């Protein structure tokens, strides 16, 4: 449905400097606090005990994806419960930050630019229970998600590694396949953790790593920040929390991990070792292929006495949103630097929150939409199709964007195609990540007569109180209503 003539909350440019005031809601700082919040808002469904870990748990979580988070007691008979779908809605993420949805991207970008150093504590709930005999399938309730996944995976663990040269930490999320009792097959894409591994491997040394499962939504989101190397994303989590993140030293390494976490898996990436990993259901709704990948050997597992395990369904909304919000925040900041008239950006769900970018602008100049498209392509290689619209189009409503394309776009003059450029390797229509970019300028011409692109509206429609009117009518039958 079009919101005909109505202003939307997204019409306004994102505010900068939206600090958390004394009276504003506080950010959420632990998984338990977040579960309380979800339960208080009737968004947490507790399932019957004993739901199966192979597909059954993922199937239920997926049916409730975007509506309710799920908690599974004794999954597959395991004493540790599993939660899923914790942040499968943008509005929930704004609530976790304690801001309005319209301020979500600005708040994230502000935190990314103003990280807060963490604070070390001597003892932590995350280390209440220590296991040194490692059989991961026995210690943890590891679900299998999609039909052709190679087996159980850890999907919601933040991986903490350390630059062997500088000692600075990195935080990232990777799919981790259960490959043996104390062995995980891990997909390390060529980013910071991968660089650290290469530095270690060149010295013939292992790379220490810790996988932390069961953390608050803001630390999860911070792990996906597009930050420079040697920015420890835990410091961005601290900024989002509005106070330094308490961390504790690992038992087997110099790594510092969130003290409030539920579960910590400590180990090392082995140099010169690659083993098969995959296939695994990924965010584009296809399987990431099987290949020889990095191997992490686990030495110690620590957890809270009554630990909770978090799983993210491969390709579910939680998976998509975790990547989307930091990307949107970065793309918005990047575009605004050169184009101050860019009001907002959105990675649409239909474009799996990576490939389709909608950009809302206050148009000043013909041709500028095409410059903005090129800026967006340069901002993230995942961005494949960019649609630029005017400020009267709600970019969070795909029907509105389609309406703008239908009525303000002409393919012979408003289309930009860039052949043979770098895209996402997980897009199966590319040749190993090489493919075309497309930009669609769906803005109206500045020279157009005002009435030509004037949106129709019925005066007063937005003020009609439908519920009140219908209840006053009292549900009369039409024959009675027209009598006399
Ligand atoms: Mn990083």
């Amino acid at each position: 449905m079009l919101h005909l003539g109505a202003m939307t909350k997204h019409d306004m440019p994102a505010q900068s400097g939206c600090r958390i005031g004394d009276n504003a809601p506080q950010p959420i700082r632990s998984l338990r606090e977040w579960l309380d919040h979800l339960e208080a808002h009737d968004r947490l469904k507790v399932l019957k005990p004993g739901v199966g870990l192979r597909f059954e748990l993922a199937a239920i979580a997926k049916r409730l994806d975007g509506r309710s988070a799920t908690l599974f007691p004794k999954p597959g008979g395991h004493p540790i419960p599993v939660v899923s779908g914790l942040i499968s809605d943008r509005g929930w993420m704004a609530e976790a930050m304690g801001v309005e949805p319209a301020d979500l991207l600005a708040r994230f970008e502000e935190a990314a630019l103003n990280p807060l150093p963490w604070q070390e504590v001597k003892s932590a709930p995350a280390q209440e229970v220590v296991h040194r005999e490692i059989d991961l399938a026995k210690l943890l309730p590891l679900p299998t998600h999609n039909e052709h996944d190679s087996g159980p995976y850890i999907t919601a663990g933040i991986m903490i590694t350390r630059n062997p040269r500088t000692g600075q930490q990195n935080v990232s999320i990777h799919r981790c396949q259960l490959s043996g009792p104390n062995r995980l097959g891990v997909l390390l894409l060529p980013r910071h953790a991968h660089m650290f591994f290469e530095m270690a491997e060149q010295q013939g040394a292992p790379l220490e790593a810790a996988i932390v499962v069961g953390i608050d939504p803001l630390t999860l989101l911070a792990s996906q920040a597009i930050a420079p190397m040697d920015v420890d994303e835990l410091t961005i989590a601290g900024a989002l929390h509005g106070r330094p993140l308490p961390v504790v030293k690992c038992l087997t390494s110099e790594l510092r991990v969130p003290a409030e976490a539920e579960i910590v898996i400590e180990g090392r990436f082995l140099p010169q070792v690659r083993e098969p990993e995959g296939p695994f259901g990924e965010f584009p709704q296809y399987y990431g292929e099987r290949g020889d990948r990095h191997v992490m050997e686990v030495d110690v597992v620590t957890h809270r006495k009554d630990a909770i395990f978090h799983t993210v369904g491969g390709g579910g909304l939680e998976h998509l949103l975790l990547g989307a919000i930091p990307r949107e925040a970065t793309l918005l900041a990047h575009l605004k630097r050169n184009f101050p008239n860019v009001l907002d950006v959105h990675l649409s769900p239909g474009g799996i929150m990576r490939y389709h970018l909608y950009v809302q602008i206050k148009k000043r100049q013909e041709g500028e939409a095409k410059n903005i498209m090129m800026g967006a392509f340069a901002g993230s290689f995942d961005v494949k199709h960019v649609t630029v619209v005017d400020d009267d189009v709600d970019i969070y409503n795909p029907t509105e964007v389609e309406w703008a394309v239908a009525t303000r776009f002409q393919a012979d003059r408003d289309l930009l195609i860039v052949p043979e450029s770098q895209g996402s390797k997980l897009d199966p229509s590319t040749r190993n990540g090489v493919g075309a970019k497309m930009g669609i300028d769906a803005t109206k011409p500045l020279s157009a007569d005002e009435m030509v692109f004037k949106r129709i509206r019925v005066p007063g429609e937005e003020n009609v109180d439908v519920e009140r009117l219908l209840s006053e009518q009292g549900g009369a039958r039409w024959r009675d209503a027209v009598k006399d």
Side-chain angles (χ1 to χ4, degrees), residues 87 89-94 97 104-105 108-109 221 224-226 320-332 345 347 353-354:
I87 33 172
D89 183 284
R90 306 174 70 81
W92 301 6
M93 194 58 96
M97 285 187 196
L104 179 67
L105 299 185
F108 186 83
E109 189 63 15
L221 193 65
Q224 299 306 292
I226 300 161
L320 296 179
L321 270 171
L322 271 175
I325 291 166
R327 278 179 174 79
E328 288 174 347
T330 306
L331 281 163
L332 181 61
V345 300
L347 290 161
M353 299 195 197
R354 301 288 191 282

PDB file of all heavy atoms in Angstrom, residues 87 89-94 97 104-105 108-109 221 224-226 320-332 345 347 353-354:
ATOM      1  N   ILE A  87      16.825 -10.597  17.345  1.00  0.00           N
ATOM      2  CA  ILE A  87      16.877  -9.233  16.808  1.00  0.00           C
ATOM      3  C   ILE A  87      16.451  -9.258  15.357  1.00  0.00           C
ATOM      4  O   ILE A  87      17.126  -8.730  14.482  1.00  0.00           O
ATOM      5  CB  ILE A  87      18.295  -8.637  16.944  1.00  0.00           C
ATOM      6  CG1 ILE A  87      19.342  -9.747  16.796  1.00  0.00           C
ATOM      7  CG2 ILE A  87      18.455  -7.917  18.250  1.00  0.00           C
ATOM      8  CD1 ILE A  87      20.730  -9.266  16.728  1.00  0.00           C
ATOM      9  N   ASP A  89      14.112  -7.768  13.787  1.00  0.00           N
ATOM     10  CA  ASP A  89      13.279  -6.630  13.400  1.00  0.00           C
ATOM     11  C   ASP A  89      14.085  -5.357  13.673  1.00  0.00           C
ATOM     12  O   ASP A  89      14.697  -5.222  14.730  1.00  0.00           O
ATOM     13  CB  ASP A  89      11.999  -6.640  14.242  1.00  0.00           C
ATOM     14  CG  ASP A  89      11.039  -5.525  13.861  1.00  0.00           C
ATOM     15  OD1 ASP A  89      11.293  -4.364  14.243  1.00  0.00           O
ATOM     16  OD2 ASP A  89      10.053  -5.818  13.188  1.00  0.00           O
ATOM     17  N   ARG A  90      14.075  -4.435  12.705  1.00  0.00           N
ATOM     18  CA  ARG A  90      14.861  -3.193  12.868  1.00  0.00           C
ATOM     19  C   ARG A  90      14.431  -2.406  14.088  1.00  0.00           C
ATOM     20  O   ARG A  90      15.244  -1.816  14.784  1.00  0.00           O
ATOM     21  CB  ARG A  90      14.682  -2.272  11.664  1.00  0.00           C
ATOM     22  CG  ARG A  90      14.950  -2.848  10.333  1.00  0.00           C
ATOM     23  CD  ARG A  90      14.572  -1.851   9.257  1.00  0.00           C
ATOM     24  NE  ARG A  90      15.490  -0.738   9.270  1.00  0.00           N
ATOM     25  CZ  ARG A  90      16.682  -0.773   8.686  1.00  0.00           C
ATOM     26  NH1 ARG A  90      17.070  -1.829   8.033  1.00  0.00           N
ATOM     27  NH2 ARG A  90      17.481   0.256   8.752  1.00  0.00           N
ATOM     28  N   GLY A  91      13.118  -2.389  14.310  1.00  0.00           N
ATOM     29  CA  GLY A  91      12.586  -1.626  15.437  1.00  0.00           C
ATOM     30  C   GLY A  91      13.106  -2.165  16.764  1.00  0.00           C
ATOM     31  O   GLY A  91      13.389  -1.400  17.693  1.00  0.00           O
ATOM     32  N   TRP A  92      13.248  -3.491  16.844  1.00  0.00           N
ATOM     33  CA  TRP A  92      13.770  -4.090  18.085  1.00  0.00           C
ATOM     34  C   TRP A  92      15.200  -3.612  18.321  1.00  0.00           C
ATOM     35  O   TRP A  92      15.620  -3.370  19.442  1.00  0.00           O
ATOM     36  CB  TRP A  92      13.765  -5.612  18.017  1.00  0.00           C
ATOM     37  CG  TRP A  92      12.437  -6.257  17.791  1.00  0.00           C
ATOM     38  CD1 TRP A  92      11.249  -5.633  17.518  1.00  0.00           C
ATOM     39  CD2 TRP A  92      12.156  -7.650  17.812  1.00  0.00           C
ATOM     40  NE1 TRP A  92      10.266  -6.567  17.363  1.00  0.00           N
ATOM     41  CE2 TRP A  92      10.787  -7.798  17.535  1.00  0.00           C
ATOM     42  CE3 TRP A  92      12.933  -8.787  18.022  1.00  0.00           C
ATOM     43  CZ2 TRP A  92      10.173  -9.057  17.475  1.00  0.00           C
ATOM     44  CZ3 TRP A  92      12.334 -10.037  17.967  1.00  0.00           C
ATOM     45  CH2 TRP A  92      10.959 -10.162  17.694  1.00  0.00           C
ATOM     46  N   MET A  93      15.966  -3.532  17.226  1.00  0.00           N
ATOM     47  CA  MET A  93      17.359  -3.116  17.359  1.00  0.00           C
ATOM     48  C   MET A  93      17.432  -1.685  17.876  1.00  0.00           C
ATOM     49  O   MET A  93      18.282  -1.362  18.717  1.00  0.00           O
ATOM     50  CB  MET A  93      18.056  -3.260  16.000  1.00  0.00           C
ATOM     51  CG  MET A  93      19.546  -3.177  16.065  1.00  0.00           C
ATOM     52  SD  MET A  93      20.292  -4.425  17.149  1.00  0.00           S
ATOM     53  CE  MET A  93      20.704  -5.693  15.957  1.00  0.00           C
ATOM     54  N   ALA A  94      16.536  -0.825  17.383  1.00  0.00           N
ATOM     55  CA  ALA A  94      16.488   0.555  17.885  1.00  0.00           C
ATOM     56  C   ALA A  94      16.148   0.553  19.378  1.00  0.00           C
ATOM     57  O   ALA A  94      16.750   1.286  20.167  1.00  0.00           O
ATOM     58  CB  ALA A  94      15.461   1.365  17.090  1.00  0.00           C
ATOM     59  N   MET A  97      19.046  -0.214  21.457  1.00  0.00           N
ATOM     60  CA  MET A  97      19.951   0.955  21.570  1.00  0.00           C
ATOM     61  C   MET A  97      19.351   2.050  22.440  1.00  0.00           C
ATOM     62  O   MET A  97      20.072   2.964  22.852  1.00  0.00           O
ATOM     63  CB  MET A  97      20.208   1.547  20.183  1.00  0.00           C
ATOM     64  CG  MET A  97      21.141   0.749  19.328  1.00  0.00           C
ATOM     65  SD  MET A  97      21.483   1.705  17.821  1.00  0.00           S
ATOM     66  CE  MET A  97      22.175   0.409  16.814  1.00  0.00           C
ATOM     67  N   LEU A 104      18.427   5.090  14.287  1.00  0.00           N
ATOM     68  CA  LEU A 104      19.210   3.861  14.408  1.00  0.00           C
ATOM     69  C   LEU A 104      20.581   3.975  13.727  1.00  0.00           C
ATOM     70  O   LEU A 104      21.614   3.692  14.335  1.00  0.00           O
ATOM     71  CB  LEU A 104      18.386   2.715  13.791  1.00  0.00           C
ATOM     72  CG  LEU A 104      18.951   1.316  13.760  1.00  0.00           C
ATOM     73  CD1 LEU A 104      19.071   0.758  15.163  1.00  0.00           C
ATOM     74  CD2 LEU A 104      18.044   0.400  12.923  1.00  0.00           C
ATOM     75  N   LEU A 105      20.584   4.398  12.448  1.00  0.00           N
ATOM     76  CA  LEU A 105      21.837   4.423  11.698  1.00  0.00           C
ATOM     77  C   LEU A 105      22.785   5.486  12.244  1.00  0.00           C
ATOM     78  O   LEU A 105      23.989   5.250  12.376  1.00  0.00           O
ATOM     79  CB  LEU A 105      21.571   4.670  10.211  1.00  0.00           C
ATOM     80  CG  LEU A 105      20.709   3.617   9.499  1.00  0.00           C
ATOM     81  CD1 LEU A 105      20.634   3.920   8.010  1.00  0.00           C
ATOM     82  CD2 LEU A 105      21.235   2.205   9.729  1.00  0.00           C
ATOM     83  N   PHE A 108      24.369   4.261  15.450  1.00  0.00           N
ATOM     84  CA  PHE A 108      25.395   3.245  15.213  1.00  0.00           C
ATOM     85  C   PHE A 108      26.675   3.898  14.699  1.00  0.00           C
ATOM     86  O   PHE A 108      27.780   3.587  15.167  1.00  0.00           O
ATOM     87  CB  PHE A 108      24.908   2.184  14.222  1.00  0.00           C
ATOM     88  CG  PHE A 108      25.888   1.061  14.072  1.00  0.00           C
ATOM     89  CD1 PHE A 108      25.904   0.024  14.983  1.00  0.00           C
ATOM     90  CD2 PHE A 108      26.826   1.065  13.054  1.00  0.00           C
ATOM     91  CE1 PHE A 108      26.842  -0.998  14.886  1.00  0.00           C
ATOM     92  CE2 PHE A 108      27.765   0.044  12.944  1.00  0.00           C
ATOM     93  CZ  PHE A 108      27.759  -0.989  13.862  1.00  0.00           C
ATOM     94  N   GLU A 109      26.526   4.816  13.735  1.00  0.00           N
ATOM     95  CA  GLU A 109      27.701   5.475  13.154  1.00  0.00           C
ATOM     96  C   GLU A 109      28.435   6.298  14.218  1.00  0.00           C
ATOM     97  O   GLU A 109      29.659   6.325  14.260  1.00  0.00           O
ATOM     98  CB  GLU A 109      27.253   6.360  11.986  1.00  0.00           C
ATOM     99  CG  GLU A 109      28.386   6.937  11.150  1.00  0.00           C
ATOM    100  CD  GLU A 109      29.240   5.888  10.431  1.00  0.00           C
ATOM    101  OE1 GLU A 109      28.821   4.718  10.326  1.00  0.00           O
ATOM    102  OE2 GLU A 109      30.358   6.252   9.997  1.00  0.00           O
ATOM    103  N   LEU A 221      25.800  -6.588  17.129  1.00  0.00           N
ATOM    104  CA  LEU A 221      25.750  -5.613  16.038  1.00  0.00           C
ATOM    105  C   LEU A 221      27.110  -4.937  15.856  1.00  0.00           C
ATOM    106  O   LEU A 221      27.572  -4.757  14.725  1.00  0.00           O
ATOM    107  CB  LEU A 221      24.672  -4.572  16.333  1.00  0.00           C
ATOM    108  CG  LEU A 221      24.284  -3.672  15.164  1.00  0.00           C
ATOM    109  CD1 LEU A 221      23.633  -4.486  14.050  1.00  0.00           C
ATOM    110  CD2 LEU A 221      23.339  -2.576  15.621  1.00  0.00           C
ATOM    111  N   GLN A 224      29.752  -6.370  13.650  1.00  0.00           N
ATOM    112  CA  GLN A 224      29.593  -6.250  12.202  1.00  0.00           C
ATOM    113  C   GLN A 224      29.956  -4.861  11.686  1.00  0.00           C
ATOM    114  O   GLN A 224      29.761  -4.555  10.509  1.00  0.00           O
ATOM    115  CB  GLN A 224      28.142  -6.588  11.815  1.00  0.00           C
ATOM    116  CG  GLN A 224      27.740  -8.006  12.184  1.00  0.00           C
ATOM    117  CD  GLN A 224      28.694  -9.022  11.619  1.00  0.00           C
ATOM    118  OE1 GLN A 224      28.772  -9.214  10.411  1.00  0.00           O
ATOM    119  NE2 GLN A 224      29.476  -9.651  12.481  1.00  0.00           N
ATOM    120  N   ALA A 225      30.468  -3.993  12.573  1.00  0.00           N
ATOM    121  CA  ALA A 225      30.855  -2.644  12.146  1.00  0.00           C
ATOM    122  C   ALA A 225      31.935  -2.726  11.077  1.00  0.00           C
ATOM    123  O   ALA A 225      32.810  -3.591  11.143  1.00  0.00           O
ATOM    124  CB  ALA A 225      31.354  -1.841  13.340  1.00  0.00           C
ATOM    125  N   ILE A 226      31.860  -1.833  10.110  1.00  0.00           N
ATOM    126  CA  ILE A 226      32.882  -1.795   9.065  1.00  0.00           C
ATOM    127  C   ILE A 226      33.947  -0.819   9.550  1.00  0.00           C
ATOM    128  O   ILE A 226      33.975   0.349   9.196  1.00  0.00           O
ATOM    129  CB  ILE A 226      32.251  -1.409   7.713  1.00  0.00           C
ATOM    130  CG1 ILE A 226      31.192  -2.463   7.364  1.00  0.00           C
ATOM    131  CG2 ILE A 226      33.299  -1.324   6.614  1.00  0.00           C
ATOM    132  CD1 ILE A 226      30.186  -2.043   6.335  1.00  0.00           C
ATOM    133  N   LEU A 320      20.256 -11.493   8.315  1.00  0.00           N
ATOM    134  CA  LEU A 320      20.251 -10.398   7.350  1.00  0.00           C
ATOM    135  C   LEU A 320      20.436  -9.045   8.033  1.00  0.00           C
ATOM    136  O   LEU A 320      21.232  -8.213   7.609  1.00  0.00           O
ATOM    137  CB  LEU A 320      18.938 -10.399   6.556  1.00  0.00           C
ATOM    138  CG  LEU A 320      18.688 -11.629   5.684  1.00  0.00           C
ATOM    139  CD1 LEU A 320      17.339 -11.514   4.978  1.00  0.00           C
ATOM    140  CD2 LEU A 320      19.788 -11.790   4.654  1.00  0.00           C
ATOM    141  N   LEU A 321      19.694  -8.824   9.123  1.00  0.00           N
ATOM    142  CA  LEU A 321      19.717  -7.513   9.793  1.00  0.00           C
ATOM    143  C   LEU A 321      21.055  -7.213  10.449  1.00  0.00           C
ATOM    144  O   LEU A 321      21.506  -6.065  10.460  1.00  0.00           O
ATOM    145  CB  LEU A 321      18.622  -7.458  10.855  1.00  0.00           C
ATOM    146  CG  LEU A 321      17.269  -6.946  10.385  1.00  0.00           C
ATOM    147  CD1 LEU A 321      16.243  -7.168  11.488  1.00  0.00           C
ATOM    148  CD2 LEU A 321      17.342  -5.479  10.006  1.00  0.00           C
ATOM    149  N   LEU A 322      21.684  -8.239  11.007  1.00  0.00           N
ATOM    150  CA  LEU A 322      22.977  -8.027  11.670  1.00  0.00           C
ATOM    151  C   LEU A 322      23.992  -7.439  10.702  1.00  0.00           C
ATOM    152  O   LEU A 322      24.796  -6.588  11.075  1.00  0.00           O
ATOM    153  CB  LEU A 322      23.510  -9.347  12.224  1.00  0.00           C
ATOM    154  CG  LEU A 322      23.082  -9.690  13.638  1.00  0.00           C
ATOM    155  CD1 LEU A 322      23.579 -11.071  14.017  1.00  0.00           C
ATOM    156  CD2 LEU A 322      23.611  -8.649  14.618  1.00  0.00           C
ATOM    157  N   GLY A 323      23.941  -7.893   9.455  1.00  0.00           N
ATOM    158  CA  GLY A 323      24.856  -7.334   8.461  1.00  0.00           C
ATOM    159  C   GLY A 323      24.358  -6.031   7.882  1.00  0.00           C
ATOM    160  O   GLY A 323      25.138  -5.160   7.502  1.00  0.00           O
ATOM    161  N   ALA A 324      23.037  -5.885   7.797  1.00  0.00           N
ATOM    162  CA  ALA A 324      22.472  -4.743   7.065  1.00  0.00           C
ATOM    163  C   ALA A 324      22.674  -3.421   7.793  1.00  0.00           C
ATOM    164  O   ALA A 324      23.053  -2.425   7.179  1.00  0.00           O
ATOM    165  CB  ALA A 324      20.980  -4.975   6.812  1.00  0.00           C
ATOM    166  N   ILE A 325      22.410  -3.393   9.096  1.00  0.00           N
ATOM    167  CA  ILE A 325      22.398  -2.108   9.803  1.00  0.00           C
ATOM    168  C   ILE A 325      23.784  -1.438   9.784  1.00  0.00           C
ATOM    169  O   ILE A 325      23.898  -0.265   9.431  1.00  0.00           O
ATOM    170  CB  ILE A 325      21.805  -2.281  11.217  1.00  0.00           C
ATOM    171  CG1 ILE A 325      20.300  -2.589  11.066  1.00  0.00           C
ATOM    172  CG2 ILE A 325      22.023  -1.042  12.070  1.00  0.00           C
ATOM    173  CD1 ILE A 325      19.638  -3.114  12.315  1.00  0.00           C
ATOM    174  N   PRO A 326      24.859  -2.168  10.112  1.00  0.00           N
ATOM    175  CA  PRO A 326      26.179  -1.518  10.001  1.00  0.00           C
ATOM    176  C   PRO A 326      26.509  -1.094   8.568  1.00  0.00           C
ATOM    177  O   PRO A 326      27.117  -0.032   8.366  1.00  0.00           O
ATOM    178  CB  PRO A 326      27.146  -2.600  10.482  1.00  0.00           C
ATOM    179  CG  PRO A 326      26.322  -3.483  11.356  1.00  0.00           C
ATOM    180  CD  PRO A 326      24.964  -3.499  10.721  1.00  0.00           C
ATOM    181  N   ARG A 327      26.108  -1.887   7.572  1.00  0.00           N
ATOM    182  CA  ARG A 327      26.378  -1.504   6.182  1.00  0.00           C
ATOM    183  C   ARG A 327      25.609  -0.239   5.809  1.00  0.00           C
ATOM    184  O   ARG A 327      26.140   0.656   5.154  1.00  0.00           O
ATOM    185  CB  ARG A 327      25.972  -2.637   5.233  1.00  0.00           C
ATOM    186  CG  ARG A 327      27.004  -3.733   5.100  1.00  0.00           C
ATOM    187  CD  ARG A 327      26.477  -4.829   4.154  1.00  0.00           C
ATOM    188  NE  ARG A 327      27.505  -5.817   3.894  1.00  0.00           N
ATOM    189  CZ  ARG A 327      27.831  -6.788   4.738  1.00  0.00           C
ATOM    190  NH1 ARG A 327      27.219  -6.884   5.917  1.00  0.00           N
ATOM    191  NH2 ARG A 327      28.775  -7.654   4.434  1.00  0.00           N
ATOM    192  N   GLU A 328      24.348  -0.197   6.189  1.00  0.00           N
ATOM    193  CA  GLU A 328      23.548   1.008   5.902  1.00  0.00           C
ATOM    194  C   GLU A 328      24.165   2.233   6.562  1.00  0.00           C
ATOM    195  O   GLU A 328      24.256   3.301   5.946  1.00  0.00           O
ATOM    196  CB  GLU A 328      22.118   0.833   6.419  1.00  0.00           C
ATOM    197  CG  GLU A 328      21.277  -0.133   5.606  1.00  0.00           C
ATOM    198  CD  GLU A 328      19.916  -0.402   6.226  1.00  0.00           C
ATOM    199  OE1 GLU A 328      19.710  -0.043   7.405  1.00  0.00           O
ATOM    200  OE2 GLU A 328      19.054  -0.976   5.544  1.00  0.00           O
ATOM    201  N   ALA A 329      24.575   2.077   7.817  1.00  0.00           N
ATOM    202  CA  ALA A 329      25.145   3.222   8.545  1.00  0.00           C
ATOM    203  C   ALA A 329      26.409   3.716   7.846  1.00  0.00           C
ATOM    204  O   ALA A 329      26.622   4.923   7.685  1.00  0.00           O
ATOM    205  CB  ALA A 329      25.449   2.828   9.991  1.00  0.00           C
ATOM    206  N   THR A 330      27.248   2.764   7.398  1.00  0.00           N
ATOM    207  CA  THR A 330      28.496   3.137   6.732  1.00  0.00           C
ATOM    208  C   THR A 330      28.223   3.767   5.373  1.00  0.00           C
ATOM    209  O   THR A 330      28.821   4.783   5.006  1.00  0.00           O
ATOM    210  CB  THR A 330      29.386   1.892   6.565  1.00  0.00           C
ATOM    211  OG1 THR A 330      29.539   1.286   7.848  1.00  0.00           O
ATOM    212  CG2 THR A 330      30.748   2.242   6.022  1.00  0.00           C
ATOM    213  N   LEU A 331      27.298   3.161   4.612  1.00  0.00           N
ATOM    214  CA  LEU A 331      26.975   3.701   3.285  1.00  0.00           C
ATOM    215  C   LEU A 331      26.364   5.095   3.402  1.00  0.00           C
ATOM    216  O   LEU A 331      26.688   5.988   2.615  1.00  0.00           O
ATOM    217  CB  LEU A 331      26.006   2.763   2.553  1.00  0.00           C
ATOM    218  CG  LEU A 331      26.644   1.535   1.912  1.00  0.00           C
ATOM    219  CD1 LEU A 331      25.583   0.479   1.581  1.00  0.00           C
ATOM    220  CD2 LEU A 331      27.418   1.920   0.645  1.00  0.00           C
ATOM    221  N   LEU A 332      25.505   5.294   4.389  1.00  0.00           N
ATOM    222  CA  LEU A 332      24.865   6.603   4.565  1.00  0.00           C
ATOM    223  C   LEU A 332      25.917   7.667   4.882  1.00  0.00           C
ATOM    224  O   LEU A 332      25.930   8.746   4.274  1.00  0.00           O
ATOM    225  CB  LEU A 332      23.803   6.537   5.672  1.00  0.00           C
ATOM    226  CG  LEU A 332      23.039   7.838   5.939  1.00  0.00           C
ATOM    227  CD1 LEU A 332      22.273   8.301   4.698  1.00  0.00           C
ATOM    228  CD2 LEU A 332      22.070   7.662   7.109  1.00  0.00           C
ATOM    229  N   VAL A 345      19.294   5.813   3.483  1.00  0.00           N
ATOM    230  CA  VAL A 345      19.525   4.646   2.618  1.00  0.00           C
ATOM    231  C   VAL A 345      18.883   3.435   3.277  1.00  0.00           C
ATOM    232  O   VAL A 345      18.693   3.402   4.499  1.00  0.00           O
ATOM    233  CB  VAL A 345      21.031   4.356   2.401  1.00  0.00           C
ATOM    234  CG1 VAL A 345      21.725   5.528   1.741  1.00  0.00           C
ATOM    235  CG2 VAL A 345      21.724   3.967   3.701  1.00  0.00           C
ATOM    236  N   LEU A 347      18.891  -1.032   2.735  1.00  0.00           N
ATOM    237  CA  LEU A 347      19.159  -2.287   2.026  1.00  0.00           C
ATOM    238  C   LEU A 347      17.889  -3.127   2.177  1.00  0.00           C
ATOM    239  O   LEU A 347      17.559  -3.558   3.276  1.00  0.00           O
ATOM    240  CB  LEU A 347      20.379  -2.988   2.633  1.00  0.00           C
ATOM    241  CG  LEU A 347      21.714  -2.285   2.355  1.00  0.00           C
ATOM    242  CD1 LEU A 347      22.788  -2.749   3.342  1.00  0.00           C
ATOM    243  CD2 LEU A 347      22.180  -2.528   0.924  1.00  0.00           C
ATOM    244  N   MET A 353      19.054  -7.705   1.860  1.00  0.00           N
ATOM    245  CA  MET A 353      19.700  -6.710   2.737  1.00  0.00           C
ATOM    246  C   MET A 353      21.194  -6.563   2.469  1.00  0.00           C
ATOM    247  O   MET A 353      21.960  -6.176   3.352  1.00  0.00           O
ATOM    248  CB  MET A 353      19.434  -7.019   4.213  1.00  0.00           C
ATOM    249  CG  MET A 353      17.961  -6.985   4.560  1.00  0.00           C
ATOM    250  SD  MET A 353      17.693  -6.914   6.342  1.00  0.00           S
ATOM    251  CE  MET A 353      15.957  -7.396   6.422  1.00  0.00           C
ATOM    252  N   ARG A 354      21.605  -6.881   1.245  1.00  0.00           N
ATOM    253  CA  ARG A 354      22.994  -6.679   0.830  1.00  0.00           C
ATOM    254  C   ARG A 354      23.058  -6.114  -0.590  1.00  0.00           C
ATOM    255  O   ARG A 354      23.877  -5.251  -0.875  1.00  0.00           O
ATOM    256  CB  ARG A 354      23.775  -8.006   0.817  1.00  0.00           C
ATOM    257  CG  ARG A 354      23.847  -8.759   2.120  1.00  0.00           C
ATOM    258  CD  ARG A 354      24.758  -8.112   3.139  1.00  0.00           C
ATOM    259  NE  ARG A 354      24.982  -9.017   4.254  1.00  0.00           N
ATOM    260  CZ  ARG A 354      24.125  -9.234   5.237  1.00  0.00           C
ATOM    261  NH1 ARG A 354      22.974  -8.584   5.264  1.00  0.00           N
ATOM    262  NH2 ARG A 354      24.396 -10.098   6.207  1.00  0.00           N
TER     263      ARG A 354
END
